[in-house]
Amino acid sequence: MQTTPSHPSVEKPPLISFIVTFYNLPPSLLNECLDSILSLSLNKEEREILLIDDGSEESPLEAISDKLEDIIYIRQNNRGLSAARNLGIEACKGKYIQFVDGDDKLNTTIYEHCLDIVRTKDPDIVTFYLSNKEEHVVPHEVEGPMEGAEYMRRNNLRASACGYIFRKLTLVNLRFTSGILHEDEEFTPQLFLRAEKLYSTKAKAYFYRDRGDSITHEDNKKWVLQRLADTRGVLYRLSERADTLPTAEREALQRRIDQLTMDYLYLVIKLTHNGHLLEKSVEELTQKGLFPLSDKDYTQKYKWFRRISSTRQGRRLLCMLLR
């Protein structure tokens, strides 16, 4: 009797991997974060939750013991957010990825709207809004599909890596740069440039906590100088990257570079109130071809800042106003 040879079944990957990163968090916040993911309309086969512990001083496992069957817990030595996310990228199996900071959570009802786009449109990226309020209104407008470069030419890019769902294959070899602050500023625009099919929604699907003890509230001199140096580094690397791109993609990335240059000068003023350092920064940006800011019709804020910052007298005025 002839028999049909058996073939090993191919395991279907989860639809989406949630990469949750944290360091020294109160258990209540971590549980709230995980609960918001577990309450989504995704069964165990459709979701994967990777909990990446960046070397916390105390293990969270006892506090989340009721969820251990639903998560993959990975612990690394304290190497920072970039390294934690990169570890999650290497370990995850999902078709799509969503980054979540452990002290934040999803606005579950609204996030379902974003999941529906993933399920029905087969996108490379679905971008949405973050809010520091628990939102409940679900918008039904969806813009797209469009290429990521087209989106970047028409919009000010919101850099947070928690503000979108993306197809893992879109990454190719793209990873976060370790050891810098605000690594999303470098990662996000490069990811968006790789997207051929992007959808945008105004859904406020992600809830973030503005915690007074977070790294963004550090104000010591060493941290300020590091933040400024890291922002300059991102600017220079993105600028070098833009020089290698075709025209349409270069124009898209240039908008983000102009926006980030403006943000950098704003930070110099707000964080240091040092006119001498501001002029030194302008000189360095000029040598790199990043200043004066491009004469583009981006936003009213950009046009206002570009005009005032273009002269030394205007920059002195900004130092007086931005206190």
Side-chain angles (χ1 to χ4, degrees):
M1 182 176 67
Q2 186 176 1
T3 60
T4 303
S6 61
H7 298 282
S9 60
V10 178
E11 184 179 352
K12 185 178 180 181
L15 175 66
I16 182 166
S17 294
F18 297 90
I19 298 177
V20 181
T21 52
F22 76 99
Y23 171 71
N24 281 354
L25 272 187
S28 59
L29 294 186
L30 196 55
N31 269 301
E32 203 173 334
C33 173
L34 295 173
D35 284 339
S36 75
I37 300 171
L38 290 169
S39 61
L40 293 168
S41 61
L42 294 164
N43 59 42
K44 284 190 174 183
E45 288 70 35
E46 293 176 308
R47 70 165 185 258
E48 179 185 53
I49 304 175
L50 289 87
L51 187 60
I52 314 296
D53 183 346
D54 186 32
S56 296
E57 295 171 8
E58 296 184 9
S59 170
L61 294 182
E62 184 176 349
I64 58 171
S65 58
D66 60 325
K67 300 178 178 66
L68 295 182
E69 292 185 0
D70 295 297
I71 67 170
I72 300 170
Y73 174 79
I74 304 174
R75 178 182 172 85
Q76 67 173 18
N77 293 331
N78 182 230
R79 295 191 289 127
L81 178 59
S82 290
R85 284 176 174 170
N86 288 341
L87 181 59
I89 289 171
E90 298 302 330
C92 74
K93 299 177 181 178
K95 182 178 180 181
Y96 289 90
I97 291 175
Q98 171 69 61
F99 291 116
V100 186
D101 291 342
D103 52 348
D104 299 334
K105 63 180 180 178
L106 304 178
N107 280 323
T108 304
T109 303
I110 304 176
Y111 193 84
E112 291 285 358
H113 168 64
C114 303
L115 283 179
D116 287 342
I117 300 173
V118 169
R119 288 169 170 142
T120 60
K121 305 291 188 182
D122 193 39
D124 292 322
I125 293 177
V126 178
T127 181
F128 48 82
Y129 280 76
L130 283 65
S131 175
N132 60 359
K133 298 179 181 179
E134 297 190 28
E135 306 283 349
H136 302 285
V137 178
V138 182
H140 297 290
E141 300 83 3
V142 179
E143 188 178 358
M146 69 189 87
E147 292 184 347
E150 179 187 355
Y151 177 83
M152 289 173 65
R153 287 195 300 271
R154 293 166 45 190
N155 298 275
N156 276 358
L157 188 66
R158 302 181 301 277
S160 172
C162 296
Y164 47 84
I165 307 169
F166 67 96
R167 189 192 304 271
K168 183 179 180 181
L169 288 178
T170 308
L171 283 169
V172 191
N173 61 348
L174 179 63
R175 297 294 185 269
F176 290 91
T177 300
S178 292
I180 66 171
L181 298 170
H182 304 287
E183 51 281 295
D184 297 10
E185 296 285 4
E186 184 173 7
F187 177 88
T188 296
Q190 294 187 82
L191 178 68
F192 274 50
L193 286 177
R194 298 169 186 230
E196 297 180 357
K197 194 176 179 183
L198 178 147
Y199 289 86
S200 173
T201 172
K202 294 184 178 180
K204 296 179 180 179
Y206 186 98
F207 172 82
Y208 71 91
R209 287 185 171 85
D210 193 9
R211 297 174 64 211
D213 59 344
S214 71
I215 191 170
T216 57
H217 289 82
E218 294 281 352
D219 59 1
N220 63 73
K221 185 176 180 180
K222 181 179 178 181
W223 177 85
V224 167
L225 293 177
Q226 181 184 351
R227 182 175 181 184
L228 294 176
D230 289 346
T231 304
R232 282 197 308 275
V234 169
L235 265 175
Y236 298 163
R237 289 191 293 275
L238 289 180
S239 182
E240 291 172 0
R241 173 69 174 143
D243 290 339
T244 69
L245 297 174
T247 301
E249 293 182 7
R250 184 170 65 249
E251 290 176 354
L253 185 54
Q254 188 59 52
R255 175 168 182 156
R256 184 58 194 161
I257 291 168
D258 289 338
Q259 183 184 352
L260 192 55
T261 303
M262 179 186 72
D263 292 343
Y264 170 70
L265 292 174
Y266 179 86
L267 281 177
V268 172
I269 297 169
K270 287 289 289 184
L271 295 178
T272 71
H273 307 294
N274 186 322
H276 175 72
L277 180 59
L278 177 60
E279 292 306 315
K280 182 180 178 182
S281 299
V282 166
E283 182 180 344
E284 291 177 356
L285 292 173
T286 302
Q287 292 173 355
K288 292 286 186 177
L290 296 168
F291 192 88
L293 292 170
S294 301
D295 186 4
K296 298 289 186 179
D297 190 20
Y298 294 148
T299 64
Q300 283 299 117
K301 178 182 177 182
Y302 176 85
K303 291 187 289 185
W304 172 84
F305 192 93
R306 179 184 60 78
R307 286 196 299 267
I308 297 180
S309 67
S310 63
T311 66
R312 184 182 292 265
Q313 184 178 1
R315 294 192 290 273
R316 288 174 181 166
L317 178 61
L318 285 173
C319 285
M320 290 188 290
L321 293 175
L322 299 177
R323 290 189 175 274

